[in-house]
Amino acid sequence: MERTHESVPSPEEARARERRWVERARNGDREAFEHLCREAYPALLHYARSLAGPDRAPDLAQEALLRALRSIDRFRGEARFRSWLLRIARNVWLNERALLRSKRERSGSQQVEERAGAHVDPAARLEREELVAALEREIATLPAAQREALLLCDREGLSYKEIAQVMGCPIGTVMSRIHYARTRLRRRLGRWWKNGRGVG
């Protein structure tokens, strides 16, 4: 007796099939949600490793899955489920880095103030506040891709390779975006922009 093999579905068929699973998951079908997660998990774990390293990756992937479960009813299915899940993982990772950086900055600022006897020159403080405000205004006017690449580099401390992985583009594109962003900020901020690294 000859054994028949199932034909490989076309991309359109696979997409339609996924939409049906997504619709079931949005309607509260836990089995459908788990099916989607099983399909996407290898890519999710690989992506989490590229972001956070092998030790942190499983926890990052798990947190992304939990957040996806809580918000699946709001997923409209315009993107692939896997892409949506990877964006969630990316946001979790960026939020964790921002929180950690904020804690370190607060701790460092507190230590500096204690050593300085909490003395702050009002004129210096005003100038610093003006610089920060001007910088934030100019950053907000950058094209979205340039702004994201610049902040990932100068605020999050990512390498060009890491930024390329996060943004899903070639390293050369990352370098170009950062270059144009810094050039624009340097031109707009003049003397305040030091060595092209004014995003602190």
Side-chain angles (χ1 to χ4, degrees):
M1 180 177 180
E2 294 185 0
R3 179 178 299 176
T4 59
H5 298 277
E6 293 185 3
S7 60
V8 177
S10 67
E12 293 77 13
E13 291 172 337
R15 187 77 177 93
R17 185 178 301 175
E18 180 181 277
R19 288 195 184 99
R20 291 193 292 271
W21 282 108
V22 167
E23 188 61 27
R24 287 174 54 185
R26 291 183 61 196
N27 290 328
D29 187 332
R30 186 65 174 265
E31 181 181 347
F33 178 79
E34 291 176 353
H35 169 82
L36 290 166
C37 290
R38 283 195 301 271
E39 292 287 317
Y41 188 76
L44 172 63
L45 185 60
H46 182 271
Y47 184 60
R49 285 172 179 157
S50 74
L51 293 177
D55 294 335
R56 173 63 183 141
D59 290 339
L60 176 58
Q62 183 65 26
E63 180 63 24
L65 291 173
L66 290 174
R67 295 196 183 194
L69 176 61
R70 291 196 292 265
S71 57
I72 185 63
D73 60 323
R74 298 192 297 274
F75 176 50
R76 296 190 298 272
E78 296 174 352
R80 296 295 300 270
F81 179 82
R82 182 179 66 179
S83 299
W84 179 64
L85 196 56
L86 296 186
R87 282 200 300 272
I88 292 176
R90 175 187 179 188
N91 289 336
V92 170
W93 178 70
L94 289 176
N95 288 340
E96 288 179 351
R97 287 178 63 90
L99 180 61
L100 180 60
R101 185 174 185 273
S102 178
K103 288 181 178 179
R104 288 174 177 171
E105 288 179 347
R106 286 198 300 269
S107 176
S109 297
Q110 183 177 0
Q111 292 175 6
V112 169
E113 289 182 1
E114 289 175 353
R115 288 196 299 267
H119 173 71
V120 180
D121 181 2
R125 174 185 292 176
L126 178 60
E127 183 176 3
R128 173 63 181 174
E129 290 175 351
E130 290 176 348
L131 167 59
V132 171
L135 183 59
E136 293 300 329
R137 285 196 302 270
E138 294 301 329
I139 290 175
T141 67
L142 292 171
Q146 291 183 18
R147 181 171 63 249
E148 182 177 6
L150 181 72
L151 294 179
L152 287 174
C153 179
D154 288 355
R155 284 192 177 168
E156 302 301 334
L158 272 64
S159 67
Y160 290 149
K161 180 179 179 180
E162 290 171 330
I163 297 171
Q165 291 172 336
V166 170
M167 300 187 71
C169 63
I171 291 179
T173 301
V174 170
M175 296 173 67
S176 176
R177 289 172 178 173
I178 293 174
H179 168 73
Y180 284 118
R182 288 177 177 166
T183 298
R184 176 170 173 170
L185 292 177
R186 188 183 299 113
R187 184 173 62 249
R188 298 292 292 271
L189 295 175
R191 64 181 179 82
W192 277 338
W193 187 262
K194 298 180 181 179
N195 300 321
R197 301 284 296 188
V199 185

